[in-house]
Amino acid sequence: MRLDCFLSKQAAYSRKSVLQLISQRQISVDGITVNDRCHPVTNVSLIEISGKPLTPSQPARYFMLNKPAGYLSATTDKQHPVALELLEGIEQQGLHIAGRLDRATTGLLIITDDGKWSRKLTEPKQKIPKTYLVETAYALSPETPQRFTEGIYFSYEEMTTSPALIELLDETTARLTIYEGRYHQVKRMFAAVGNRVVSLHRESMGEIILDSKLELGAFRALTAQEINSLN
Ligand code: URA
């Protein structure tokens, strides 16, 4: 969305005051002063006005959803159902997904309108553990734990994954904890050791654990303790 449209939606700023602040070079986005009212921003952009972070006009909202397979981790899509439409009765304006899951992946999906908070959860440098239950097409090789502990090299990003923890549960099932959230990370890690993921379910992100009472497709607000666990 354009910066001027985004800010004008905040109760505290009229369109006129927004244009004035931009022309006075009082607004920065992700640390860079902006002088273009059309500058693109998203719900996770860090917007500062006169050096102070933009305070949202409503209290921030935080939800966990038990994502079913078949739903895209997106706010809208023309072809497929999206996870946000499962938040029945919740105003969707401003919400975004903190840490996407692939369409077929199930489990813990966090949805919020607090961009600063969601960056703490998802930025690779924060090294927040994310735990997945993984089912593979072929028997898990005895070398897999060591390969994952050493890290898997991703040539596209030119990086090696942080040491991951893997607990082998049976021949083709494992619990895996990774510390980044790169594109298709779990599938690419198993592909690198000659295996293939056939099902993937996220159980936790940091101290936020998928509530066992939530059926697939159900959601609830995060508790204060869950929200503050990131601070
Ligand atoms: N890694 C994947 O490959 N897919 C997901 O959905 C999440 C992590």
Side-chain angles (χ1 to χ4, degrees), residues 23-78:
S23 70
Q24 292 166 350
R25 301 179 67 80
Q26 292 293 313
I27 303 188
S28 70
V29 177
D30 295 326
I32 295 163
T33 304
V34 166
N35 59 4
D36 174 10
R37 66 195 172 105
C38 301
H39 188 90
V41 291
T42 66
N43 292 320
V44 293
S45 301
L46 175 62
I47 302 177
E48 287 174 296
I49 301 184
S50 308
K52 295 202 183 87
L54 177 70
T55 37
S57 31
Q58 309 261 320
R61 296 171 297 157
Y62 309 85
F63 303 99
M64 70 160 75
L65 165 74
N66 187 359
K67 179 190 164 305
Y71 284 78
L72 280 183
S73 290
T75 46
T76 57
D77 190 76
K78 289 203 179 86

Side-chain angles (χ1 to χ4, degrees), residues 3-29:
L3 175 64
D4 57 348
C5 300
F6 185 88
L7 285 177
S8 305
K9 283 188 194 293
Q10 312 286 319
Y13 299 95
S14 67
R15 189 165 170 75
K16 194 169 157 210
S17 68
V18 168
L19 294 180
Q20 217 164 27
L21 286 164
I22 293 173
S23 70
Q24 292 166 350
R25 301 179 67 80
Q26 292 293 313
I27 303 188
S28 70
V29 177

Side-chain angles (χ1 to χ4, degrees), residues 94-218:
L95 290 175
H96 64 271
I97 290 163
R100 293 167 188 223
L101 291 174
D102 294 337
R103 189 151 72 96
T105 304
T106 57
L108 178 66
L109 194 66
I110 304 241
I111 300 166
T112 179
D113 53 9
D114 184 343
K116 196 167 166 203
W117 185 87
S118 69
R119 271 197 293 272
K120 279 196 223 157
L121 190 64
T122 57
E123 275 180 354
K125 70 174 182 201
Q126 305 287 348
K127 303 251 177 268
I128 299 283
K130 289 133 194 137
T131 299
Y132 294 86
L133 201 58
V134 190
E135 212 187 305
T136 55
Y138 315 111
L140 291 153
S141 66
E143 305 82 57
T144 302
Q146 199 189 335
R147 291 284 311 280
F148 284 5
T149 308
E150 286 165 358
I152 300 290
Y153 182 67
F154 284 172
S155 55
Y156 182 75
E157 293 95 336
E158 296 184 352
M159 52 82 60
T160 300
T161 56
S162 296
L165 288 175
I166 184 164
E167 184 191 351
L168 305 182
L169 301 176
D170 65 34
E171 221 189 11
T172 55
T173 315
R175 178 167 284 115
L176 175 71
T177 300
I178 58 173
Y179 293 86
E180 307 99 344
R182 304 277 173 189
Y183 180 66
H184 291 332
Q185 177 159 341
V186 176
K187 289 181 185 150
R188 290 162 75 198
M189 288 174 69
F190 279 94
V193 294
N195 212 325
R196 184 166 59 82
V197 170
V198 291
S199 89
L200 192 55
H201 176 82
R202 185 155 63 200
E203 297 182 320
S204 63
M205 294 177 85
E207 290 176 29
I208 306 172
I209 299 166
L210 180 64
D211 190 327
S212 58
K213 292 196 269 316
L214 289 180
E215 305 274 334
L216 272 176

